[in-house]
Amino acid sequence: MDWQWKLLPLLTLLASFLFLYYIQDSFKPFQSDCSLLPYSHYWIASKHIVTPQGIISGAVEVKGGNIISIVKDKDWNGKSKQVVDYGYAVVMPGLIDVHAHLDDPGRAEWEGFPSGTKAAAAGGITTLIDMPLNSFPSTVSTETLKLKIEAAEKRIFVDVGFWGGLVPGNAFNATALEGLLNAGVLGLKSFMCPSGINDFPMTDANHIKAGLSVLAKYRRPLLVHSEIQQDVESYLQDEDGDDPRLYSTYLKTRPPSWEEAAIRELLTVTKDTRIGGPAEGAHLHVVHLSDASSSLDLIKEAKRRGDSITVETCPHYLAFSAEEIPDGDTRFKCAPPIRDAANKENLWNALMEGHIDMLSSDHSPTVPELKLLNDGNFLRAWGGISSIQFVLPVTWSYGRKFGVTLEQLALWWSERPAKLAQQHSKSISAYIGKRLSGKVLATFVRGNLVYNEGNHAAAACGALILAT
């Protein structure tokens, strides 16, 4: 319907509408550097509130950092003086980004917890799960997790959890993995190709099988970068004048067959996750799927067989196509690569049909020098797209032609990522210069108004999320 395209700017609110809590309190003013609001008990009113039962006109009551009621207009009637009225703007659950690299500690000049979580809040993200790389050292042990936690404490503006790393050095050491899981990581992450980070080496099916057997006890997921490196030289033909400034040259070096080979190998072990299997309780999650053909077909078949497997893709695969990437514009380099327009269309169709389960940013910033913006060499530039602040309007903008609804946004960015993570609830970005529909007006985290039309709360009061 036409009104759906006029709803944004968006207001995002940390909430799982399935879990409501009541805390005794009164409508008394209070002062906190954690929030831009002067009270802790208030109502958020809007003509468009996204709930599991559909979109309603009414108000959300927030008390003591929790949503305690949601009422329709007929039951509302402006019953409180403490009202934040957003009119026709949309109130929806906050986004949960399960795939972000904040590079802290060790490479905080690439991003860091303060700047990364401020950008997340400005983008409507209320919870993000930080990857075990590209920080230094990588999060592959209880000792390195402790460094990560210390780096985040009192420096985060949204809630942050952590994935641990599955690497050859710990994969066959159940005690080490259990220590990492007991220390609070929400699950594990591995690479099936070189990660580009020296202390995060690649794994194979044997490592993954061993990791799943440990994860089964904790009922936590394993996230896998699913590419298997093949002979790069065979894809490059010097006599054809392969130019490293052409995106097509880079695209040749990481064909869809890399993803297909990795997923085919993964499925030799995911059968263990079926009901009654030796790794029942474990779950495998394929990150940032780029190939919408054979790789996706394999995942669909595994789901039909009963394997516990899900898959995500990212906004940059849905927004861009290889044909439109300018020569030398290395802001667009990522792995797996952005593929052609037909593949982008197929990704959207798979997302709309439910074959792709959720979205994530794969926010992977670095310093401009490593992107080689002046040289424009796609083969040598650091891969990764900065995107955490833009993912919501990007998804909305590029999804319009496919009929994306607000309920689907909440499903892809809130409900399913929350299930995966077991939660209830310097810009060199490639999106610079793009005209997008929608803008985040405000973001609430645990009842605190942490972002409001360009302003952040004074204090970093995001919570650390550690598995128990």
Side-chain angles (χ1 to χ4, degrees):
M1 298 175 62
D2 290 343
W3 66 264
Q4 291 183 335
W5 311 131
K6 301 174 183 176
L7 292 178
L8 304 187
L10 287 175
L11 165 73
T12 54
L13 175 67
L14 176 65
S16 170
F17 292 121
L18 302 178
F19 298 89
L20 304 180
Y21 303 91
Y22 187 83
I23 297 176
Q24 293 295 329
D25 194 10
S26 62
F27 286 101
K28 60 183 180 182
F30 86 120
Q31 186 63 44
S32 170
D33 288 339
C34 297
S35 179
L36 296 169
L37 284 180
Y39 31 81
S40 62
H41 186 185
Y42 56 91
W43 294 78
I44 298 171
S46 170
K47 298 296 184 184
H48 300 110
I49 300 173
V50 181
T51 79
Q53 290 73 42
I55 297 172
I56 68 167
S57 176
V60 177
E61 184 180 7
V62 181
K63 196 175 192 180
N66 298 303
I67 291 175
I68 62 169
S69 67
I70 302 170
V71 296
K72 294 183 179 180
D73 273 341
K74 63 183 179 64
D75 303 314
W76 162 233
N77 297 322
K79 62 175 66 175
S80 170
K81 294 181 180 179
Q82 313 289 17
V83 179
V84 187
D85 192 341
Y86 285 97
Y88 286 87
V90 176
V91 174
M92 65 179 290
L95 277 64
I96 298 175
D97 187 358
V98 296
H99 192 150
H101 300 263
L102 296 189
D103 311 325
D104 204 347
R107 294 188 176 96
E109 70 275 12
W110 292 17
E111 180 63 273
F113 283 118
S115 62
T117 55
K118 277 188 173 182
I125 295 168
T126 53
T127 302
L128 62 82
I129 317 299
D130 192 36
M131 281 292 167
L133 74 167
N134 306 320
S135 54
F136 182 78
S138 295
T139 310
V140 296
S141 66
T142 55
E143 294 78 15
T144 51
L145 175 62
K146 183 179 179 182
L147 295 175
K148 178 77 77 170
I149 292 170
E150 290 173 349
E153 284 179 330
K154 299 182 180 179
R155 300 176 69 232
I156 52 176
F157 288 81
V158 300
D159 292 354
V160 175
F162 309 100
W163 302 120
L166 178 74
V167 294
N170 64 19
F172 301 118
N173 187 336
T175 301
L177 288 181
E178 289 177 358
L180 189 54
L181 291 161
N182 288 333
V185 298
L186 302 177
L188 301 175
K189 163 74 180 293
S190 71
F191 269 70
M192 296 183 76
C193 63
S195 70
I197 298 295
N198 292 335
D199 67 345
F200 205 94
M202 60 184 281
T203 56
D204 60 25
N206 293 322
H207 301 116
I208 289 167
K209 184 181 180 73
L212 287 173
S213 68
V214 175
L215 287 163
K217 305 173 188 176
Y218 293 80
R219 308 189 75 83
R220 296 182 204 168
L222 173 63
L223 288 71
V224 182
H225 181 124
S226 303
E227 289 183 289
I228 287 182
Q229 189 173 30
Q230 299 168 336
D231 181 14
V232 174
E233 297 302 321
S234 65
Y235 300 105
L236 297 177
Q237 304 295 328
D238 290 336
E239 63 268 25
D240 292 339
D242 287 311
D243 182 350
R245 288 181 52 82
L246 299 179
Y247 187 76
S248 58
T249 299
Y250 172 60
L251 195 57
K252 288 181 185 179
T253 69
R254 295 186 96 109
S257 60
W258 283 34
E259 290 186 82
E260 180 185 352
I263 292 169
R264 194 175 296 279
E265 184 168 320
L266 277 176
L267 299 190
T268 66
V269 297
T270 57
K271 64 181 185 295
D272 292 348
T273 65
R274 299 174 195 170
I275 296 174
E280 180 184 352
H283 178 80
L284 192 136
H285 181 71
V286 175
V287 299
H288 51 45
L289 181 76
S290 171
D291 172 35
S293 56
S294 299
S295 301
L296 182 59
D297 289 341
L298 288 170
I299 294 170
K300 289 159 65 174
E301 179 58 31
K303 289 182 177 182
R304 284 193 288 268
R305 292 196 306 261
D307 296 10
S308 184
I309 184 171
T310 50
V311 59
E312 70 186 43
T313 193
C314 305
H316 43 273
Y317 300 124
L318 300 171
F320 305 126
S321 57
E323 298 92 333
E324 69 182 88
I325 296 176
D327 295 352
D329 196 343
T330 54
R331 293 177 304 160
F332 291 88
K333 181 180 177 178
C334 59
I338 295 164
R339 306 199 188 279
D340 61 29
N343 184 81
K344 178 178 74 172
E345 193 91 356
N346 289 336
L347 281 176
W348 269 113
N349 291 332
L351 182 64
M352 296 295 292
E353 293 166 6
H355 301 305
I356 294 174
D357 300 279
M358 67 192 76
L359 297 174
S360 75
S361 72
D362 190 15
H363 176 65
S364 186
T366 188
V367 290
E369 305 88 79
L370 291 180
K371 291 299 275 187
L372 303 181
L373 298 174
N374 293 329
D375 295 343
N377 187 322
F378 279 105
L379 301 184
R380 292 179 51 243
W382 178 264
I385 290 182
S386 300
S387 60
I388 202 166
Q389 190 167 335
F390 308 115
V391 292
L392 186 54
V394 166
T395 308
W396 181 256
S397 300
Y398 288 91
R400 290 172 67 169
K401 67 175 281 191
F402 298 93
V404 166
T405 66
L406 295 168
E407 292 94 333
Q408 286 172 313
L409 288 181
L411 180 70
W412 300 333
W413 278 112
S414 300
E415 182 179 337
R416 287 179 177 164
K419 184 178 179 181
L420 180 71
Q422 298 182 353
Q423 300 304 304
H424 302 307
S425 63
K426 359 161 209 262
S427 185
I428 50 174
S429 173
Y431 294 105
I432 297 289
K434 297 292 182 181
R435 184 173 181 82
L436 303 174
S437 299
K439 175 185 176 184
V440 173
L441 280 178
T443 304
F444 292 77
V445 179
R446 299 181 182 273
N448 294 319
L449 179 57
V450 300
Y451 174 81
N452 187 54
E453 298 190 69
N455 298 311
H456 290 84
C461 298
L464 293 171
I465 300 171
L466 299 175
T468 56

